[in-house]
Amino acid sequence: MLDAAAGNRSDVSGCGVDLLDECGKRPEWLGSPVDLLLPSREKRGRVSGVRYHVCFSQIPPGSVTRVADDVYVTSPELTFVQLGRAGSVPFLAQYAMELCGGYALTPWGQHGFEPRAPLCDLAGLGHFVGSCGSMQGARKAAEALRLAGERSMSPAETRLFLMLTLPRRLYGYGLPRPQLNQIIDIPPDAQRRLGTDYLVVDLLFPGHGLVVEYDSRAFHGTPARLDHDDDRREVLQDMGYDVVVVRAERLENHRRFDGLVRQTIARRLRLEVPPMDARFARGVQNLRDDLL
């Protein structure tokens, strides 16, 4: 989770990290402040733009990668555990899905993310967390892994998955866990119509025949793309699938989203969702703030 930032050379070089360009600017991917992991409190300094963390536990093999003579960065797995020191369980589940998904956050880009291969998988993350023993953050990280899913292809898919499936105590809707970006084989006539041998659907609820698709106008706004989306939806319906579309505007509005979940998605899963009282509404808003 890195934000675009700029800073002074002394902010970074003072802690032994020289990653600034010729103009003294931080690269876009380097967040602010810089976080340093230390083995003892005595090694903490007072450098502007640096945040110090002390880890008394022995870190597992593969926890750091050398990127320069005296510069090491934490692995995605160790970063995940370290975030458990202060981050909420939903935030950690979101981060795990980013690591195990097909996208990377790029706040400086047009859409805020770009495609990339998964950095790890949930099984590997779970093994690493288990090897951390009593390290601070490990227990919360393990809880988050039980709630995360694999193969998300965008931040919106991750948020949709978590808001639908997180337990009520975390202010999700507690729905069954769908499969993300599942391949569905289609018959020959549909292959000719769509020009593909199969379809990949965003969320598939196995055993219920329910497909939930996220629709962002940023990627689906052209007439040709909208026509293609209509055609693939008709193919899925002809195959017996029930298709629900969640548009970006509805995902971002908690009351409109609540209506869609309660009146459409939950009903098609033959489930009843408890009413949204004032306490749940506040919790949902806090959850949304966590899942940025």
Side-chain angles (χ1 to χ4, degrees):
M1 303 287 187
L2 299 174
D3 298 321
N8 298 320
R9 180 174 296 276
S10 61
D11 291 350
V12 181
S13 60
C15 61
V17 183
D18 187 10
L19 293 174
L20 305 188
D21 61 21
E22 295 178 354
C23 299
K25 299 290 187 180
R26 297 175 189 265
E28 291 177 319
W29 51 265
L30 181 60
S32 177
V34 173
D35 291 272
L36 288 184
L37 189 63
L38 305 174
S40 67
R41 293 190 179 95
E42 289 71 24
K43 293 187 176 292
R44 287 185 298 188
R46 292 181 176 273
V47 178
S48 174
V50 176
R51 186 165 52 192
Y52 298 93
H53 308 270
V54 179
C55 179
F56 298 105
S57 304
Q58 183 174 357
I59 60 176
S63 292
V64 296
T65 299
R66 187 174 181 173
V67 296
D69 288 343
D70 295 317
V71 181
Y72 295 80
V73 296
T74 57
S75 66
E77 294 86 351
L78 182 59
T79 301
F80 173 63
V81 174
Q82 289 294 302
L83 286 172
R85 295 156 64 105
S88 69
V89 169
F91 170 80
L92 287 172
Q94 180 186 44
Y95 189 68
M97 291 185 66
E98 179 187 338
L99 296 179
C100 301
Y103 67 95
L105 297 183
T106 54
W108 56 87
Q110 180 181 1
H111 301 298
F113 73 98
E114 59 186 24
R116 65 120 168 85
L119 300 180
C120 45
D121 56 39
L122 290 180
L125 267 182
H127 178 76
F128 182 88
V129 171
S131 69
C132 289
S134 60
M135 182 183 296
Q136 188 176 2
R139 188 167 70 173
K140 196 186 295 183
E143 181 183 355
L145 285 179
R146 292 192 289 269
L147 303 174
E150 286 185 298
R151 298 194 305 274
S152 175
M153 296 302 292
S154 72
E157 287 181 8
T158 295
R159 294 182 71 213
L160 179 58
F161 176 94
L162 291 173
M163 286 191 288
L164 289 175
T165 62
L166 285 175
R168 292 281 295 187
R169 62 181 174 82
L170 295 176
Y171 301 104
Y173 287 91
L175 299 184
R177 293 163 57 85
Q179 297 172 343
L180 284 155
N181 290 288
Q182 185 70 18
I183 293 176
I184 295 179
D185 293 320
I186 57 178
D189 58 335
Q191 293 178 17
R192 291 188 292 270
R193 178 181 179 183
L194 298 178
T196 182
D197 296 336
Y198 58 86
L199 292 176
V200 179
V201 297
D202 294 343
L203 279 72
L204 172 64
F205 289 86
H208 298 276
L210 176 63
V211 169
V212 176
E213 296 269 67
Y214 175 72
D215 183 3
S216 169
R217 291 300 179 209
F219 300 98
H220 300 258
T222 65
R225 183 66 196 190
L226 291 172
D227 287 345
H228 178 77
D229 289 346
D230 289 342
D231 289 343
R232 73 191 300 275
R233 196 171 301 130
E234 289 176 8
V235 166
L236 288 169
Q237 291 170 339
D238 289 343
M239 294 176 63
Y241 289 98
D242 206 353
V243 182
V244 175
V245 177
V246 181
R247 305 200 187 281
E249 298 80 8
R250 197 158 196 174
L251 181 63
E252 299 306 318
N253 184 303
H254 78 275
R255 295 200 178 276
R256 291 178 61 193
F257 183 71
D258 179 76
L260 179 66
V261 174
R262 191 177 309 281
Q263 299 166 18
T264 303
I265 297 176
R267 284 186 179 179
R268 296 183 187 183
L269 294 173
R270 297 180 178 85
L271 297 173
E272 288 190 13
V273 175
M276 178 181 278
D277 55 20
R279 180 175 177 272
F280 187 75
R282 288 192 299 270
V284 166
Q285 194 57 57
N286 291 335
L287 173 63
R288 288 171 169 269
D289 291 342
D290 265 356
L291 302 179
L292 293 177

